[in-house]
Amino acid sequence: MLHHAADDTIPLLEEARRVVKPDGRVVVVEDLRADDAAGLRHQDSEHKGCPRRCVFRTDNEWRAIFRRLGLRVESTAAPPRDCIPHYQVDRALYKLNS
C-alpha cells in the first residue's frame, strides 16, 4: 500500500521499474484519495495510528507519477470497495509496462 510510503513512493516505484525484466510488468493496487468530506474523514480516522503520514492520491495523480517515471498504464481495474468490510474506499489496480 503505497499510501503508507508517503514521500518514499517515487523511489519505490523507481526501484520496481529498475528491477523488472525488460517488457515486464509492475502491478500497483492502491487506495484512492476520497472525493468527499466524509470519505476523507474516514481515511484519516482509519490511519490515525500509523507511524508515518499517509498520502492518498487520485487516479489522475497516480497516472501523472507513472508517466513521469516512464511506466505506461497497460490496463486498470477497480477492485471491490469492500475487501475490508468496514473500510469503504475506492481502489485502483494498475498494470504497468516498463
Side-chain angles (χ1 to χ4, degrees), residues 8 14 18 29 36 43 46 49 52 54 61 70 72 74 82 97:
D8 293 327
E14 287 173 331
R18 185 187 73 78
V29 178
D36 62 17
Q43 281 182 324
E46 285 292 317
R52 297 179 62 148
C54 290
E61 290 171 320
R72 185 175 52 81
E74 189 173 289
D82 61 352
N97 193 312

Side-chain angles (χ1 to χ4, degrees), residues 21-56:
K21 293 180 180 180
D23 291 324
R25 306 297 184 275
V26 174
V27 175
V28 172
V29 178
E30 183 57 35
D31 292 354
L32 297 178
R33 185 177 188 277
D35 58 1
D36 62 17
L40 291 170
R41 280 192 305 274
H42 183 70
Q43 281 182 324
D44 286 345
S45 69
E46 285 292 317
H47 293 84
K48 281 207 185 305
C50 293
R52 297 179 62 148
R53 177 179 66 92
C54 290
V55 176
F56 294 95

